[in-house]
Amino acid sequence: MTAAGIRKSPVELQPVQKKPLPAGLPREWYETHNRRLKAMRLAISLLDSGTYDAKRATNRKIRTMAARTGIHRPSNVTCRLVRGLIHDGA
């Protein structure tokens, strides 16, 4: 197959239907859960932009990506978690 024969069509993404979180858990559980979700979103954005190495994912780069994607500024702990996700995926 030639390069001219390959066409990439844009993929339409559908938002995931959100489910309510379970009630009655300690506040720390909710904070950790939300931190992990934020870290996953940021890790996916960084991987999509070409940052495949955890060493190159500096706090500055992670926070810049958060600003570009409309995510609140991540803490140092969240940045560390993002690097861990990128490192584990390699």
Side-chain angles (χ1 to χ4, degrees):
M1 188 178 251
T2 63
I6 299 174
R7 264 194 288 169
K8 291 186 179 181
S9 60
V11 178
E12 286 191 37
L13 299 175
Q14 299 295 325
V16 178
Q17 187 173 9
K18 295 183 180 181
K19 300 178 203 169
L21 293 175
L25 295 173
R27 181 175 178 82
E28 294 170 4
W29 184 90
Y30 297 105
E31 290 172 356
T32 304
H33 175 74
N34 289 331
R35 185 182 310 273
R36 286 179 184 156
L37 290 178
K38 179 187 267 190
M40 282 190 277
R41 285 193 304 267
L42 287 168
I44 290 168
S45 296
L46 286 166
L47 290 169
D48 286 345
S49 70
T51 304
Y52 302 111
D53 187 13
K55 293 175 187 172
R56 299 181 94 186
T58 61
N59 285 359
R60 174 183 250 169
K61 186 176 269 191
I62 293 169
R63 289 181 176 136
T64 301
M65 182 57 68
R68 283 185 194 164
T69 55
I71 299 172
H72 287 288
R73 184 179 188 271
S75 66
N76 290 338
V77 175
T78 305
C79 290
R80 215 175 359 221
L81 187 55
V82 170
R83 281 189 289 278
L85 289 170
I86 292 174
H87 176 72
D88 290 342

